[in-house]
Amino acid sequence: MAADVLKPDFAATPRHFLFTDEHDRLRESIRAFVTKELLPHAEEWEETTFPDWVFARMGELGLLGLSYPEEYGGQGGDYPCNIVLAEEMAHCGCAGLAMGIAVHTDMTTPPIHLFGTEEQKQRYLVPSIAGQRISCLGISEPDAGSDVAGIRTRAVRDGDEWVINGAKTFITNGHRADYIVLVAKTDPDAGHDGISLFVVDMDVPGIVREQKLRKLGMHASDTALLAFQDVRVPTSALLGQEGKGFYHIMWELQGERLIGAAGCVAGAQRAFDRTLRYAMERHAFGRPIGRFQVTRHKFAEMATQIEAARQLVYMTAWRVANGDYPVREISMAKLFAARMACDVTDECLQIHGGAGYMKEYGIERAWRDMRLNRIGAGTDEIMLEVIGRSYGL
Ligand SMILES: Cc1cc2nc3c(=O)[nH]c(=O)nc-3n(C[C@H](O)[C@H](O)[C@H](O)COP(=O)(O)OP(=O)(O)OC[C@H]3O[C@@H](n4cnc5c(N)ncnc54)[C@H](O)[C@@H]3O)c2cc1C
């Protein structure tokens, strides 16, 4: 009987077990905000960098503290809420903006929440969640990026103060930030145990915001070179335990990498969807270009890669949400999703032909913006090192 014949459910949109009805509602409301209030400015902000009011507005909407406790102004949600935010921000068409926000929500504030004193939480976390204070994260230096233990920025104890000297580079939000979560050496002879975290107001004398760095993509974000010249901060600026900063920042990097991977999947999906529409509209040799077998296979390859990355990200996020610390899988997700997203946006540009090279279609921007993901938050090579070493090699 015809009714017994199973038809493929190509149009079905099954929900992953990571998410609930509540996440779906959150997703809908973020999508509405992003498409109505952010997307229309995507082109303008590519030229000007995005304005600070985005933080204030997102704070007002409760989007900067989705998984933080209500006592600090958060929404009290779970970790998958952060994944939903990262995915939906990809729809603002402005990866630089998405990165600036992710630095704030998933990179700087988590260490303050986990390691900070109550005073630090009140001073930095609460106004950050409200969108009233903007943060940046200072790990990388002109002479040390991948090699975090090789940083040279020094913090020397002087009575009731720490005196900080050094430089940080490639710092996202560095020009607009009100404060920085900073990695510095407190004991140069102690190796990994000689590094500490600090949280420092950016208006302290001695902090110099050098020129805005010019980049390949992510133009909507500001990227700073920062100098620290005899910057004096009180002992209360130490974040977490003295000498434990290396381990604290390695923990922070796991969240940064997984959120970045989620953004890669969503960004790749967005490029794929746009390109699919284009491939049906654009004709050559008497048919839509999507109907050439070679193009069809490109879409099949891309869809498979995107789905594989998504499952890796979701499964890893599920483990994080359940209290695991899956460093190996986070590294795999970050590596795989970043490579996949770069490959997909490159193929999408190719399918667009000359139009892909033009600004009008937005694909060249997706391609440029995506490239950072194989470098930032730990390069492909560093991810491979983490994964390889996890097998005792
Ligand atoms: C747009 C942008 C925004 C950024 N935002 C921030 C930010 O907000 N805060 C922050 O602290 N940093 C930020 N970064 C810095 C980023 O995290 C670093 O660029 C990244 O970690 C790589 O460090 P590096 O640039 O010093 O490269 P290097 O460490 O000099 O690496 C150069 C090359 O050598 C390879 N390599 C290094 N070590 C090894 C090894 N052991 N084995 C094999 N290969 C290796 C690398 O994989 C890479 O290919 C940002 C970077 C960019 C481009």
Side-chain angles (χ1 to χ4, degrees):
M1 277 173 37
D4 294 333
V5 174
L6 275 179
K7 297 258 176 66
D9 56 353
F10 295 138
T13 48
R15 185 168 70 198
H16 192 271
F17 64 75
L18 182 63
F19 301 118
T20 61
D21 286 347
E22 215 170 307
H23 296 121
D24 286 352
R25 283 194 291 276
L26 175 67
R27 188 181 291 286
E28 259 173 52
S29 73
I30 300 176
R31 180 75 66 97
F33 158 68
V34 164
T35 45
K36 188 161 164 254
E37 300 185 41
L38 304 182
L39 183 63
H41 302 286
E43 271 189 48
E44 173 196 342
W45 294 343
E46 177 77 341
E47 306 298 328
T48 59
T49 73
F50 75 92
D52 291 352
W53 65 252
V54 175
F55 285 93
R57 178 69 179 133
M58 288 186 71
E60 189 180 68
L61 294 172
L63 298 178
L64 299 181
L66 289 172
S67 58
Y68 288 124
E70 288 170 20
E71 60 178 305
Y72 298 117
Q75 302 298 305
D78 55 12
Y79 183 67
C81 293
N82 295 26
I83 298 286
V84 170
L85 179 67
E87 290 181 326
E88 291 311 311
M89 287 303 284
H91 293 276
C92 72
C94 200
L97 188 165
M99 175 170 72
I101 296 295
V103 164
H104 191 74
T105 53
D106 290 85
M107 303 178 203
T108 55
T109 49
I112 298 173
H113 177 236
L114 191 64
F115 310 120
T117 60
E118 191 52 35
E119 191 196 328
Q120 287 169 332
K121 288 180 197 175
Q122 292 301 332
R123 190 175 161 92
Y124 298 103
L125 182 63
V126 170
S128 295
I129 291 173
Q132 291 155 358
R133 296 193 87 184
I134 299 172
S135 57
C136 66
L137 177 67
I139 307 174
S140 307
E141 301 188 354
D143 293 315
S146 304
D147 181 11
V148 176
I151 60 163
R152 294 192 188 162
T153 296
R154 280 292 315 269
V156 178
R157 186 76 185 255
D158 181 21
D160 292 345
E161 292 181 322
W162 289 95
V163 185
I164 302 172
N165 277 286
K168 295 287 170 185
T169 195
F170 306 146
I171 306 306
T172 303
N173 295 341
H175 283 276
R176 65 175 90 223
D178 298 300
Y179 70 91
I180 183 168
V181 171
L182 183 75
V183 187
K185 247 186 194 156
T186 40
D187 182 352
D189 301 322
H192 288 165
D193 294 326
I195 292 172
S196 303
L197 287 191
F198 293 86
V199 54
V200 177
D201 291 318
M202 288 291 283
D203 58 4
V204 172
I207 299 183
V208 183
R209 304 182 207 230
E210 310 265 7
Q211 85 272 20
K212 279 192 183 169
L213 301 173
R214 299 171 65 217
K215 322 188 274 288
L216 170 73
M218 298 283 196
H219 294 154
S221 71
D222 75 81
T223 309
L225 170 63
L226 305 173
F228 297 80
Q229 297 163 353
D230 289 326
V231 175
R232 288 188 165 268
V233 295
T235 49
S236 59
L238 185 71
L239 179 59
Q241 256 180 285
E242 183 181 341
K244 294 290 175 227
F246 182 81
Y247 309 98
H248 292 343
I249 212 63
M250 287 302 137
W251 172 83
E252 177 283 321
L253 281 167
Q254 304 313 314
E256 176 171 347
R257 288 170 183 165
L258 192 51
I259 281 298
C264 284
V265 173
Q269 184 69 58
R270 186 166 185 270
F272 177 97
D273 292 342
R274 297 174 71 149
T275 307
L276 189 59
R277 284 197 295 277
Y278 183 81
M280 295 312 289
E281 286 161 11
R282 175 76 177 173
H283 283 64
F285 299 95
R287 68 175 87 167
I289 57 168
R291 292 262 154 80
F292 293 117
Q293 189 185 47
V294 67
T295 315
R296 188 158 54 236
H297 286 192
K298 283 181 180 183
F299 279 107
E301 293 278 9
M302 289 193 290
T304 307
Q305 293 292 313
I306 294 171
E307 194 55 30
R310 180 181 288 122
Q311 296 304 325
L312 185 51
V313 168
Y314 283 176
M315 186 61 202
T316 308
W318 179 79
R319 290 188 58 193
V320 169
N322 284 283
D324 287 358
Y325 190 47
V327 171
R328 179 195 290 159
E329 288 74 15
I330 289 172
S331 312
M332 289 174 172
K334 199 278 183 183
L335 173 74
F336 188 77
R339 282 177 166 177
M340 175 281 294
C342 289
D343 291 348
V344 164
T345 46
D346 190 60
E347 200 65 280
C348 287
L349 193 153
Q350 187 69 18
I351 292 171
H352 273 77
Y357 210 75
M358 299 296 128
K359 291 208 176 287
E360 188 186 340
Y361 290 84
I363 288 293
E364 59 83 36
R365 180 170 178 185
W367 178 81
R368 280 188 287 111
D369 285 353
M370 204 55 92
R371 190 61 180 80
L372 174 63
N373 289 293
R374 293 186 52 200
I375 298 168
T379 62
D380 285 5
E381 293 74 20
I382 295 301
M383 293 307 97
L384 288 166
E385 276 296 288
V386 175
I387 298 163
R389 283 169 189 254
S390 77
Y391 291 99
L393 297 169

